[in-house]
Amino acid sequence: MAFEGLSERLQTAFRNLRGKGKISEADLRSTMREVRLALLDADVNFAVVRKFVKQVEEQANGENVLEGLNPGQQIIKIVDEQLTEMMGGATTELTTAPKIPTIVMMAGLQGAGKTTTVGKLARKLKQEKQARPLLIAADVYRPAAIEQLQQVGAQIDVPVFAEGTDVDPVQIAIDGVKAAQANHNDYVFIDTAGRLQIDDSLMDELKKIKAAVHPTDTLLVVDAMTGQNAVQTAEGFNDALDITGVILTKLDGDTRGGAALSIKAVTGKPILYTGQGEKLADLDVFHPDRMASRILG
Ligand code: GDP
């Protein structure tokens, strides 16, 4: 389970504050030192940690917390609020296009969980909104990718638009959107190609697809297990593609969780969902406030 280590460390750091009627500046400083180390060990980006600690200290001083009642509780409350803020504050939802179909372009490195996540999202919209999604198979470099998307589609009874591997992915995306318009599908998910690393040819292709179909949302799927690399990946894709949000997968695994805490602060783009397992039902809406409470225990 993600965040277990961080959660434990923070609870230990706050144990000294909880019961105390009076807290000295030195107490606060040493607690914040432990909070800082706990966040760094959880793989939270260095600059993000620095800013976070500074904000908590400024707020605690500004509100004269140490002079007031229950200073320990108040400091924990400030940490909770700042953690929530760091993860994006409010919950961000998928944008709905004014006119159907809502087009969601999905990008990410190979193995991040893109194809699985397309299935998870389509399933969720079908269940919750009686949506009629269409999935577009625009990864032509791995023949197995099209088949995998077709299998996912079959599992959730959602149609898949494919034109094989000999058609240009940009054209496939355009044709797929046209098919969705003709069939009155209300959502379209474009499953694009991934690579092991960010490279120019991948980014060029994604930029072209984006320019051709004007997606309502461009979502990046990132593997939380890759730690600091997840944040670098998000930065790279965002610079090239101006993504609108992130889906963080594999948060069910043994990840330290730093990516969840850093991505919004580093890229300015929110996390919309988290993947919590391999099954198509394992997708959660990301609520920064609930995640902060869970981390603080
Ligand atoms: P793609 O290459 O980005 O399309 O990635 P896939 O959708 O093929 O997923 C790669 C692997 O990650 C597969 O084995 C998935 O079952 C697995 N996977 C995807 N999302 C999650 C998740 O949230 N949790 C876990 N544990 N595994 C996941």
Side-chain angles (χ1 to χ4, degrees):
M1 179 79 101
F3 295 119
E4 237 164 48
L6 174 63
S7 204
E8 231 167 76
R9 293 268 301 269
L10 291 180
Q11 282 172 38
T12 308
F14 290 135
R15 197 163 296 146
N16 300 330
L17 298 183
R18 272 191 202 272
K20 277 196 175 174
K22 199 129 190 70
I23 290 171
S24 66
E25 271 180 44
D27 291 333
L28 177 60
R29 257 200 312 276
S30 82
T31 300
M32 288 315 292
R33 195 178 306 128
E34 282 178 50
V35 169
R36 180 172 161 274
L37 291 174
L39 290 169
L40 289 174
D41 283 346
D43 263 350
V44 182
N45 172 280
F46 181 77
V48 174
V49 173
R50 197 169 44 189
K51 189 169 161 219
F52 171 81
V53 170
K54 192 164 159 254
Q55 276 170 339
V56 171
E57 283 174 347
E58 275 177 11
Q59 202 178 334
N61 290 328
E63 293 172 14
N64 285 323
V65 161
L66 298 184
E67 319 298 320
L69 282 175
N70 293 324
Q73 281 308 27
Q74 290 198 52
I75 289 164
I76 294 166
K77 184 163 163 274
I78 291 172
V79 169
D80 191 337
E81 287 166 3
Q82 291 293 344
L83 266 183
T84 304
E85 209 44 49
M86 179 167 143
M87 288 186 280
T91 304
T92 306
E93 299 194 45
L94 210 59
T95 311
T96 309
K99 195 168 143 249
I100 67 162
T102 290
I103 301 171
V104 184
M105 175 173 164
M106 306 282 281
L109 295 180
Q110 201 171 306
K114 222 177 317 102
T115 306
T116 311
T117 306
V118 165
K120 288 178 176 181
L121 270 176
R123 177 186 176 278
K124 188 176 180 64
L125 287 165
K126 209 179 151 188
Q127 282 208 331
E128 291 175 5
K129 299 194 174 182
Q130 287 76 47
R132 299 177 56 248
L134 177 70
L135 314 182
I136 300 179
D139 179 356
V140 299
Y141 306 103
R142 289 188 310 133
I146 299 177
E147 212 169 287
Q148 189 192 345
L149 189 68
Q150 282 164 336
Q151 279 168 9
V152 164
Q155 272 185 62
I156 53 174
D157 199 16
V158 165
V160 175
F161 181 90
E163 291 183 313
T165 53
D166 293 334
V167 180
D168 177 47
V170 181
Q171 192 58 47
I172 296 175
I174 293 170
D175 293 345
V177 170
K178 275 192 196 140
Q181 283 162 343
N183 294 321
H184 306 290
N185 294 104
D186 44 9
Y187 285 90
V188 169
F189 290 94
I190 307 173
D191 189 23
T192 63
R195 300 258 209 289
L196 291 176
Q197 285 174 5
I198 292 181
D199 63 51
D200 291 344
S201 71
L202 169 68
M203 286 306 171
D204 279 348
E205 179 178 300
L206 295 176
K207 280 183 203 169
K208 282 185 196 151
I209 294 177
K210 188 176 175 194
V213 301
H214 303 293
T216 322
D217 267 311
T218 304
L219 300 183
L220 178 68
V221 178
V222 193
D223 178 347
M225 299 285 283
T226 59
Q228 304 258 10
N229 283 339
V231 183
Q232 279 176 9
T233 303
E235 258 190 308
F237 273 87
N238 190 43
D239 287 348
L241 213 56
D242 194 18
I243 58 172
T244 54
V246 171
I247 299 178
L248 199 58
T249 61
K250 309 187 195 182
L251 218 60
D252 52 305
D254 194 16
T255 159
R256 288 183 278 185
L261 291 157
S262 315
I263 280 178
K264 168 71 204 245
V266 171
T267 65
K269 301 300 164 72
I271 297 171
L272 278 70
Y273 301 94
T274 59
Q276 304 280 351
E278 293 194 82
K279 293 204 209 63
L280 295 181
D282 298 333
L283 183 78
D284 286 348
V285 174
F286 183 69
H287 298 290
D289 53 347
R290 288 186 210 168
M291 189 59 90
S293 304
R294 196 180 111 190
I295 293 168
L296 290 176

